[in-house]
């Protein structure tokens, strides 16, 4: 799969950041789309996760639900989803044909997924890549943090900083050699699983689910399970338990209370944490 299929075709539009339409909960909000039926679907199919995402519309005219609103998405609309911020999970049946670029933003890596969605259906073979550019990923995360924490500053200044960081990512993506063969596919799988594992270690699996992790890596739920076990030798749930157990032992060594540890790891109560801990032993 070559980048010429979408990056070079869309590069004239992507290379004009002054025309980008940025949407984020920490930026000035554009007028919402009024569609009660579509909003009801959005509210019923919202999800949130522990990592950040960016949606870039490359082609088409549709709507997407986030921030408890519906936003019109035309080329080049760029939506920033913060960690744990609810937004649409998938696309409604019969939705207009759109072409979207999804970026999963991690501290040192980015997953890039190219989707051509027809009638609300996401193709099973949508190409996904991992962009290993720590400086660019770090700059994007830092610019995001700065823009979110600088609401007292003008919208135009915060937009400028975000656009600059995202432009670096677009440029790096355009330079990628995305020719995919058997060896390249295996390398991408290994890199994707490594990045997911790193994310789980950093978060101790808090808020993780099979669906969100599979989406993060760009695979279907069942394909992700197979790929993950092939490259790690254990199941996703077992790996999450290992990460939780490692974090729990660190917190116990630091004299955290059972309540504090349960809260940190996302358990409903200290008793549920204790039951889980006994099962690990």
């Amino acid at each position: 799969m070559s980048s010429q299929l979408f990056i070079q075709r869309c590069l004239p539009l992507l290379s004009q950041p002054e025309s980008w339409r940025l949407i984020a909960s920490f930026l000035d909000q554009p007028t919402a789309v009024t569609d009660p039926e579509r909003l009801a679907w959005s509210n019923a199919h919202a999800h949130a996760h522990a990592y950040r995402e960016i949606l870039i519309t490359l082609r088409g005219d549709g709507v997407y639900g986030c921030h408890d609103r519906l936003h019109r998405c035309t080329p080049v609309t760029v939506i920033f989803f913060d960690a744990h911020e609810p937004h649409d999970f998938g696309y409604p049946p019969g939705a207009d044909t759109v072409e979207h670029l999804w970026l999963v933003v991690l501290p040192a890596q980015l997953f890039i997924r190219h989707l051509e969605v027809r009638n609300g259906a996401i193709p099973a073979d949508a190409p996904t890549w991992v962009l290993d550019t720590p400086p660019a990923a770090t700059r994007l995360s830092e610019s995001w943090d700065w823009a979110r924490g600088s609401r007292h500053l003008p919208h135009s200044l915060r937009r400028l900083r975000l656009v600059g960081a995202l432009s670096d990512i677009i440029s790096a993506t355009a330079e990628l050699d995305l020719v995919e063969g058997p060896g390249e596919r295996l390398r991408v799988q290994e890199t994707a699983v490594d990045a997911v594992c790193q994310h789980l270690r950093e978060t101790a699996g808090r808020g993780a689910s099979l669906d969100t992790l599979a989406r993060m890596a760009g695979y279907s739920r069942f394909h992700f399970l197979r790929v993950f076990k092939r490259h790690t030798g254990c199941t996703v749930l077992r790996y999450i338990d290992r990460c939780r157990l490692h974090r729990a032992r660190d917190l116990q060594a630091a004299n955290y209370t059972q309540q504090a540890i349960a809260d940190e790891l996302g358990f409903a109560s200290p008793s549920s944490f204790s039951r889980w801990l006994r099962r690990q032993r």
Side-chain angles (χ1 to χ4, degrees):
M1 187 68 66
S2 170
S3 61
Q4 293 182 358
L5 290 181
F6 70 100
I7 286 293
Q8 291 192 19
R9 171 168 51 78
C10 299
L11 199 55
L13 188 63
L14 291 170
S15 60
Q16 300 178 42
E18 68 277 1
S19 66
W20 296 0
R21 180 170 170 263
L22 268 57
I23 299 174
S25 58
F26 51 85
L27 296 176
D28 296 345
Q29 294 284 299
T31 303
V33 174
T34 302
D35 186 338
E37 184 176 347
R38 175 64 175 81
L39 184 59
W41 184 94
S42 181
N43 291 334
H45 295 82
H47 77 143
H49 37 68
Y51 53 85
R52 289 168 162 174
E53 281 187 308
I54 298 174
L55 166 61
I56 304 176
T57 299
L58 301 177
R59 180 168 56 92
D61 188 346
V63 296
Y64 205 83
C66 60
H67 318 139
D68 298 320
R69 300 153 63 97
L70 293 178
H71 295 283
R72 186 182 179 192
C73 294
T74 57
V76 175
T77 298
V78 182
I79 306 181
F80 293 79
F81 304 103
D82 231 325
H84 306 294
E85 198 167 63
H87 58 280
D88 283 357
F89 183 55
Y91 300 82
D96 293 335
T97 298
V98 293
E99 187 177 1
H100 285 166
L101 200 63
W102 281 93
L103 279 66
V104 172
V105 183
L106 301 179
Q109 291 172 314
L110 290 101
F111 288 89
I112 304 166
R113 194 178 190 199
H114 175 229
L115 299 181
E116 292 189 83
V117 183
R118 293 181 174 85
N119 297 319
I122 299 175
D125 59 347
T128 302
W129 305 276
V130 180
L131 185 63
D132 286 305
T133 55
T138 299
R139 184 188 175 200
L140 178 59
S141 295
E142 291 177 346
S143 298
W144 194 321
D145 290 338
W146 178 86
R148 187 181 59 182
S150 303
R151 299 179 189 230
H152 59 289
L153 295 176
H155 170 94
S156 57
L157 182 58
R158 290 180 287 144
R159 182 190 185 281
L160 183 64
R161 178 112 172 226
L162 284 170
V163 165
L166 188 54
S167 295
D168 285 349
I169 301 299
I170 297 298
S171 175
T173 304
E175 294 173 5
L176 281 178
D177 178 13
L178 302 181
V179 178
E180 186 181 82
E184 176 66 11
R185 188 177 300 113
L186 180 62
R187 188 198 68 80
V188 170
Q189 288 181 356
E190 291 174 345
T191 306
V193 171
D194 286 346
V196 169
C197 289
Q198 180 179 337
H199 170 73
L200 291 174
R201 289 193 298 270
E202 290 173 349
T203 62
R206 183 180 177 88
S209 70
L210 292 178
D211 287 331
T212 57
L213 294 175
R215 176 187 172 96
M216 175 181 176
Y219 298 116
S220 70
R221 177 191 176 105
F222 298 108
H223 186 51
F224 174 68
L225 289 172
R226 291 193 298 269
V227 169
F228 190 92
K229 189 168 186 178
R230 183 187 308 136
H231 291 292
T232 65
C234 69
T235 66
V236 177
L237 295 181
R238 181 58 186 152
Y239 195 89
I240 291 174
D241 280 342
R242 288 179 182 175
C243 294
R244 281 179 162 183
L245 187 60
H246 184 78
R247 180 67 60 85
R249 287 171 174 167
D250 286 346
L251 295 175
Q252 287 173 332
N255 296 320
Y256 276 61
T257 65
Q258 289 285 92
Q259 179 69 62
I261 296 174
D263 291 342
E264 173 72 16
L265 297 180
F267 287 94
S269 65
S271 59
S272 62
F273 165 68
S274 296
R275 287 194 298 272
W276 171 84
L277 192 59
R278 285 195 297 271
R279 288 198 300 271
Q280 304 312 305
R281 291 170 178 167

